[in-house]
Amino acid sequence: MRALHSLALLLLAALVASLLMLSAALAHAGLVAADPVDGSVLPAAPSTLTLTFTEPVSPLLFTLVSSDGERRDLTGARSENLNILLPLPPELPRGTHLVSWRVTSADGHPIAGALAFSIGEVGTRPTLIAGTDPLLAGSIWLARAMLYALLFLGVGTTLFGRLVAPLPPTLDRLSQLFCAAGLLLAPLTLGLQGLDALDSGFARLFSAAPWAAALSTSYAATVAAALVAFLASLLSRLSPEGRSGIMLALLATIAAALAPMLSGHAGTAPPTWLSKPAVFVHIAGLLFWVGALLPLGWLLQAGDAPALVALQRFSRLIPLAIVPVILSGLVLALLQLGPPGPAWQSTYVALLLTKLALLLPLFGLAVWNRAALTRPTLAGIDTARRRLRRSIGIELLLVLLVFAVVAGWRFTPPPRVIAELAAQPARTHVHTAAAMADITVTPGRAGASTLSVWLSDAEFGPLEPKSLRVALFNAGLGVERLTRPATLDADGFWRVPLTLPAGGAWSIELDLRIDDFTLLKLSGEIELAP
Amino acid sequence: MIRPIACAAMAGALLLSVTPAFAHVTLETGEAPVGSTYKAVLRVPHGCDGNPTTAVRVRIPEGLVSVKPMPKAGWELSTVKAPYQNAYELHGSKVTEGVTEITWSGGNLPDEFYDEFVFRGSLAGTLAAGTTVYFPVIQTCATGEEAWIEIPAEGQPEPELPAPGLKLLDATH
């Protein structure tokens, strides 16, 4: 018994350690700015590439395809506040270069992008084949869904066994099997995360790099908490009747509820003082509820006394779990959705609606079970008991489908992040043999915004036209030219207020009145969020 | 032999079909041989958004030398003289400077009416036949202005306010 106590303490320490692995909890990040700007033309090779994000990120992988077609991985990137500083190799040749970048944000999800810049002259933009392998994405999704299922079925049933009623021996063995499978699967999901982080194929799963990369993401803390949960569940069997058994089952539940809180979108939504406890309460309540479904169904095969006692205790306790689950679920959904807007038309919301569509019948069944079936079953009516069993079976099925849907969130930024990115400026660079312009639209989306222009001549010298007119049009949308005069501000930027009806690729034209009789035209394109 | 003729006919048809829209400030004579004397008649078809025209300024392109504007009743005439970029031979003497800008101002041409502004000059023999020279025009009105200064570019849609152009032809002997 002493040994079990110290084991429990050890697991608790491991859990605390996994909590400490967390850096400051922050949201899913997005790229805000880059220096040099994508598409820019520079007089000389830059020594550093600076990427600025909405949140601090950690560097993962950087690849340079230079104008001569040579491809190399860049090392030495470091993060500094919201920036990633990437030293570029000296003596880059003239022409257009492409840098592909991959970083990880606080929620553990890798984000990637590419940008091109030219030195001296514009060449053809080098290409880089990129994008997550669908097989890898599918594996990550399946492993996630299975890990959720194992957490609820392994840790949840263990909790039921300790708190509500002892598990029948066969089910207890099954529950242990779930926990053991979880112990194996959790590290595997870490390896998959590492592969995704490095954007590499399955073959590298057996090398150290993806594991090291994954350990540097916040997902490592989630895996550590899941391991503690599975291990504590198994150990709680050593003292089925004693206090240490209950303690270990509770520890397992706490660890299992912490696991999704430590990484992922939900636990990183600001304000985290609200989102983190909400995730914890949501998962803990669900562990109790979902964990009870399998044992209840199992026990209700017979209408004997132990089954009825278990049902009675469960139906007394379940409101304590369901009400917090619903409330915390609402809080999380509201935090993730952000204010209503075009960002709601995203995959994330589609998944949320699918989840709600599954939850409605699930809650319907739960209410029916409790209001209409529990009492007759306790009274010993066999038809009610059989109906209750079937209903619990369907509930279990629906829950597994919910896990499959929820695992899909791994691949979609929540609307709050989409909206935040849309509020960031959109930029473009246009140039001719005579002049260059850096154009910024703030915020870079449809609606009211400000367009600002920095002008220079082809030698990066000052260029001060008498006046500047900006024209925008969108052939794709059938929007004709909107022409506005820009005004020169004291800081040297030309600015013009805009109200654009929609996002997408807008053609932009600048008319520079160099002197009374000389007009210089610059034209390009700028991409705006909806 | 048929081919070049057909091409020329097509080019001619094309030229006719793109005769400047009446609504633009244009030159009455759109082409002239290099080395000849050119009489430019600048046609101003309308004011600026309904406002009457009060001044017309034209920038003389390099290569049109010895420019003299024709005075116009009701308008004050002034010119800007400046050195040319190149020196030109004219009737045996060397010309290095002359009128580069003409302004008719202080007039009143209502939007409903049409008027013409005339000047003449010599097209230097050294100009390249086959090219087009442009005469950017600024039309000043009681309110606002229209700047006919945009040079049409190959492959681009016709500008909203194109500068009047003069196509240079081979010298006639």
Side-chain angles (χ1 to χ4, degrees):
Chain A
M1 214 33 55
R2 277 297 267 293
L4 199 58
H5 267 132
S6 33
L7 261 177
L9 280 175
L10 201 68
L11 284 177
L12 195 64
L15 190 63
V16 171
S18 75
L19 279 170
L20 292 178
M21 284 167 76
L22 269 184
S23 52
L26 292 149
H28 190 92
L31 182 71
V32 179
D35 179 25
V37 178
D38 185 27
S40 59
V41 187
L42 311 166
S47 60
T48 318
L49 172 73
T50 308
L51 300 169
T52 309
F53 293 85
T54 51
E55 308 291 347
V57 296
S58 314
L60 283 177
L61 185 71
F62 299 87
T63 309
L64 172 81
V65 186
S66 44
S67 56
D68 49 17
E70 191 193 330
R71 183 190 160 142
R72 57 194 132 166
D73 286 348
L74 299 179
T75 52
R78 62 182 200 278
S79 86
E80 201 170 88
N81 301 323
L82 299 177
N83 299 325
I84 290 283
L85 304 175
L86 175 69
L88 294 171
E91 286 148 28
L92 281 175
R94 286 166 69 85
T96 302
H97 305 265
L98 185 85
V99 175
S100 139
W101 52 266
R102 209 165 171 83
V103 300
T104 176
S105 50
D107 65 5
H109 301 174
I111 46 177
L115 68 86
F117 60 88
S118 307
I119 301 168
E121 64 192 12
V122 182
T124 48
R125 188 182 168 115
T127 50
L128 190 72
I129 296 123
T132 303
D133 173 15
L135 190 65
L136 179 60
S139 311
I140 290 174
W141 168 78
L142 189 67
R144 286 260 164 148
M146 279 172 62
L147 189 63
Y148 292 151
L150 290 175
L151 270 176
F152 283 99
L153 294 179
V155 179
T157 49
T158 305
L159 183 69
F160 183 92
R162 294 292 161 270
L163 282 191
V164 183
L167 298 177
T170 320
L171 180 60
D172 192 48
R173 272 195 295 280
L174 193 61
S175 169
Q176 291 180 45
L177 197 67
F178 287 146
C179 293
L183 279 178
L184 292 177
L185 184 66
L188 181 67
T189 62
L190 190 68
L192 291 174
Q193 170 86 7
L195 288 182
D196 190 32
L198 293 184
D199 195 21
S200 50
F202 278 109
R204 284 186 72 186
L205 190 60
F206 301 103
S207 64
W211 298 88
L215 279 173
S216 74
T217 70
S218 62
Y219 187 68
T222 294
V223 169
L227 288 176
V228 169
F230 287 125
L231 210 56
S233 296
L234 285 176
L235 288 174
S236 76
R237 262 81 183 178
L238 294 177
S239 162
E241 309 297 333
R243 283 246 318 272
S244 354
I246 295 182
M247 293 283 287
L248 278 164
L250 286 175
L251 176 66
T253 308
I254 291 170
L258 281 176
M261 191 189 94
L262 297 178
S263 71
H265 302 306
T268 48
T272 46
W273 59 262
L274 184 58
S275 63
K276 284 194 176 291
V279 172
F280 183 82
V281 168
H282 197 67
I283 303 298
L286 280 173
L287 275 165
F288 180 78
W289 179 26
V290 175
L293 293 177
L294 191 60
L296 276 180
W298 197 288
L299 286 166
L300 285 171
Q301 280 171 324
D304 55 3
L308 296 184
V309 169
L311 179 62
Q312 198 162 24
R313 294 196 66 181
F314 171 78
S315 70
R316 214 177 313 129
L317 291 173
I318 189 61
L320 296 177
I322 287 291
V323 173
V325 164
I326 294 176
L327 288 180
S328 56
L330 285 174
V331 166
L332 288 173
L334 288 176
L335 288 182
Q336 291 288 51
L337 284 174
W344 280 22
Q345 292 164 357
S346 62
T347 320
Y348 186 94
V349 178
L351 289 176
L352 179 66
L353 290 176
T354 315
K355 182 184 173 185
L356 286 178
L358 291 168
L359 287 184
L360 277 181
L362 186 59
F363 282 122
L365 285 174
V367 169
W368 186 52
N369 291 349
R370 188 152 195 281
L373 296 178
T374 300
R375 201 170 298 223
T377 305
L378 288 175
I381 299 170
D382 274 354
T383 46
R385 180 171 55 86
R386 272 196 295 276
R387 264 192 206 145
L388 185 57
R389 263 200 84 217
R390 207 175 312 134
S391 167
I392 289 174
I394 298 171
E395 277 187 289
L396 203 54
L397 205 69
L398 287 170
V399 166
L400 289 177
L401 285 173
V402 169
F403 291 157
V405 171
V406 171
W409 271 337
R410 162 70 171 72
F411 304 98
T412 61
R416 63 180 167 86
V417 172
I418 298 175
E420 193 184 342
L421 282 183
Q424 300 299 335
R427 291 165 208 276
T428 192
H429 174 92
V430 294
H431 62 115
T432 64
M436 303 198 286
D438 284 314
I439 303 170
T440 309
V441 176
T442 317
R445 57 165 148 76
S449 57
T450 303
L451 184 143
S452 59
V453 182
W454 178 262
L455 294 171
S456 59
D457 67 19
E459 263 65 60
F460 301 89
L463 180 65
E464 277 180 30
K466 285 183 65 189
S467 68
L468 172 67
R469 239 178 7 169
V470 178
L472 282 140
F473 55 99
N474 192 324
L477 290 172
V479 178
E480 289 295 332
R481 307 170 71 87
L482 287 150
T483 307
R484 300 267 183 286
T487 47
L488 180 60
D489 289 337
D491 58 4
F493 282 90
W494 292 83
R495 289 196 177 82
V496 56
L498 284 180
T499 305
L500 293 177
W506 283 79
S507 304
I508 187 161
E509 251 177 45
L510 304 179
D511 282 1
L512 282 65
R513 191 83 173 269
I514 302 299
D515 62 39
D516 276 0
F517 293 102
T518 316
L519 190 73
L520 204 64
K521 280 184 108 66
L522 290 172
S523 55
E525 216 171 61
I526 195 160
E527 185 79 28
L528 298 181
Chain B
M1 223 30 329
I2 292 172
R3 267 253 176 97
I5 293 171
C7 281
M10 269 170 67
L14 214 68
L15 265 178
L16 282 176
S17 67
V18 294
T19 29
F22 186 62
H24 288 171
V25 168
T26 49
L27 288 166
E28 187 179 64
T29 310
E31 46 184 48
V34 297
S36 70
T37 301
Y38 176 66
K39 179 187 173 197
V41 180
L42 211 52
R43 303 180 291 189
V44 177
H46 58 69
C48 325
D49 292 328
N51 291 298
T53 306
T54 55
V56 172
R57 284 167 70 197
V58 58
R59 160 78 61 93
I60 307 301
E62 176 75 16
L64 185 67
V65 297
S66 185
V67 169
K68 288 187 173 187
M70 189 163 98
K72 194 168 173 62
W75 297 77
E76 271 169 44
L77 182 58
S78 65
T79 57
V80 172
K81 280 197 180 123
Y84 298 135
Q85 282 167 24
N86 301 312
Y88 298 95
E89 276 301 303
L90 193 68
H91 308 306
S93 62
K94 208 168 165 192
V95 203
T96 55
E97 58 160 33
V99 173
T100 55
E101 201 180 308
I102 309 168
T103 304
W104 291 269
S105 60
N108 184 22
L109 172 62
D111 186 49
E112 298 80 28
F113 299 161
Y114 161 89
D115 207 347
E116 296 178 342
F117 298 82
V118 182
F119 55 94
R120 53 167 285 172
S122 296
L123 287 165
T126 49
L127 287 168
T131 59
T132 303
V133 289
Y134 291 94
F135 293 76
V137 171
I138 294 171
Q139 179 185 8
T140 309
C141 295
T143 337
E145 63 155 45
E146 303 267 87
W148 304 88
I149 61 172
E150 193 169 334
I151 313 294
E154 188 110 8
Q156 295 294 317
E158 198 193 351
E160 217 176 327
L161 299 171
L166 171 67
K167 188 159 196 278
L168 300 175
L169 305 176
D170 282 325
T172 49
H173 294 285

